[in-house]
Amino acid sequence: MNGMTAIEVQGLRKVYRGHEAVAGIDLAVARGEVFALLGPNGAGKTTTVEILEGHRRRSGGEARVLGEDPGTAGRAWRARIGIVLQDADDAADLTVREMVRHIAGFYPGPRPADEVIELVGLTGKQHNKIRSLSGGQRRRVDVALGIVGRPELLFLDEPTTGFDPQARRQFWDLIRDLAAEGTTIVLTTHYLEEAEALADRLAVLAGGRIVAEGTPATLGGRAAAGAKVSWKGHTEQVSDPTPLLHRLVAENEDLSTLTITRPTLEDIYLNLIGASE
């Protein structure tokens, strides 16, 4: 593992009672990268992330996270990572500020509690007890607890579940700001537009295996998939629509209804997991 790599995995496996939940995956995440893991429920995403966080033992393969084996790394290593769990517990009788300050005390150089609360958009709720918050607001508390320690590496498991569209966009800005500061981010999400908006690269897991990996623009051959051109009841699939458009203009075709569509990330994703199944 070199200094430019935050995560390196080779042949990672996890077996539960004879079922191979993670079936020998290879993965590398560069420092400062935003990397998204996509896949249906049961694909192995959460198990993979839990192994990388040091919360679950692997059955086989090699894993290095920030230069250490997550299965044996100690407290100093844990202080370098942040985790936003999918179903995090909370201390309902504490206020937002009390909870953030409490967790900050476990880190050697945390962000100020008020700064973190502002970053996640809870300044007006900082003195409210967590029990009184809505589901989306509690999720923001989870995010605050994940970033208060200034992590080098941040794991986000379905971080915007329960967010309204405005809150989700604000969260995206926060992730971009953290990435700009050099934080490495591993994101699992069911929102494909979120992965496309945030991820430098992504991988699709199905059946415990990586079935595709690449940038949002190139995943699964997306960049080479061509375009569908439709006009006045006609449709043509072409690799490059430019020659067809020149021909239609030369033939004085009515182009008022012309549309050009390319495969979306969702189209590619559904094809990938469908082929795997």
Side-chain angles (χ1 to χ4, degrees):
M1 179 172 178
N2 61 55
M4 299 302 292
T5 309
I7 297 173
E8 190 168 331
V9 170
Q10 295 178 336
L12 188 68
R13 296 176 59 249
K14 181 62 181 179
V15 179
Y16 297 104
R17 299 178 181 176
H19 169 67
E20 202 168 34
V22 179
I25 68 172
D26 298 333
L27 189 63
V29 178
R31 286 184 181 269
E33 186 172 36
V34 180
F35 190 90
L37 281 173
L38 306 179
N41 291 334
K45 302 187 307 296
T46 298
T47 297
T48 298
V49 170
E50 287 177 345
I51 291 171
L52 298 178
E53 293 169 344
H55 288 161
R56 193 173 297 278
R57 292 192 177 276
R58 60 188 183 270
S59 301
E62 298 296 327
R64 305 288 288 179
V65 177
L66 299 181
E68 298 192 42
D69 183 336
T72 59
R75 184 172 178 177
W77 174 83
R78 293 188 180 279
R80 299 167 63 197
I81 68 172
I83 300 172
V84 178
L85 300 174
Q86 188 171 356
D87 296 303
D89 294 328
D90 54 49
D93 287 325
L94 295 180
T95 68
V96 171
R97 192 168 188 271
E98 287 169 344
M99 186 62 179
V100 174
R101 291 187 67 185
H102 172 68
I103 297 301
F106 292 106
Y107 293 95
R111 292 178 184 266
D114 292 340
E115 176 186 321
V116 172
I117 291 168
E118 182 179 359
L119 282 172
V120 300
L122 285 176
T123 299
K125 300 290 184 178
Q126 63 177 325
H127 299 301
N128 291 45
K129 288 190 175 183
I130 292 174
R131 68 162 71 235
S132 71
L133 302 180
S134 68
Q137 290 166 344
R138 287 191 181 206
R139 197 68 186 127
R140 295 191 194 200
V141 174
D142 294 336
V143 174
L145 303 184
I147 67 173
V148 69
R150 300 184 192 270
E152 296 175 43
L153 171 61
L154 178 62
F155 291 99
L156 299 171
D157 192 4
E158 304 291 346
T160 59
T161 299
F163 281 24
D164 60 43
Q166 181 180 8
R168 182 169 291 121
R169 297 293 171 142
Q170 291 172 344
F171 176 79
W172 291 2
D173 290 339
L174 170 60
I175 295 306
R176 293 184 181 108
D177 289 343
L178 292 171
E181 293 176 2
T183 306
T184 306
I185 296 168
V186 175
L187 167 74
T188 66
T189 180
H190 285 297
Y191 299 113
L192 296 178
E193 74 275 16
E194 186 163 271
E196 186 155 26
L198 297 177
D200 299 307
R201 287 190 308 123
L202 45 81
V204 177
L205 273 71
R209 293 178 170 84
I210 292 179
V211 296
E213 185 177 346
T215 67
T218 63
L219 185 78
R222 184 183 181 191
K228 182 171 70 175
V229 181
S230 300
W231 75 102
K232 290 192 68 176
H234 301 280
T235 298
E236 287 193 28
Q237 188 75 32
V238 295
S239 58
D240 179 1
T242 305
L244 175 59
L245 295 179
H246 286 319
R247 192 194 83 200
L248 295 176
V249 170
E251 294 173 356
N252 293 318
E253 286 280 357
D254 179 4
L255 303 183
S256 60
T257 62
L258 183 139
T259 61
I260 301 174
T261 57
R262 296 183 182 274
T264 65
L265 183 60
E266 180 176 357
D267 294 332
I268 296 297
Y269 170 78
L270 292 175
N271 286 338
L272 287 168
I273 62 173
S276 174
E277 292 172 355

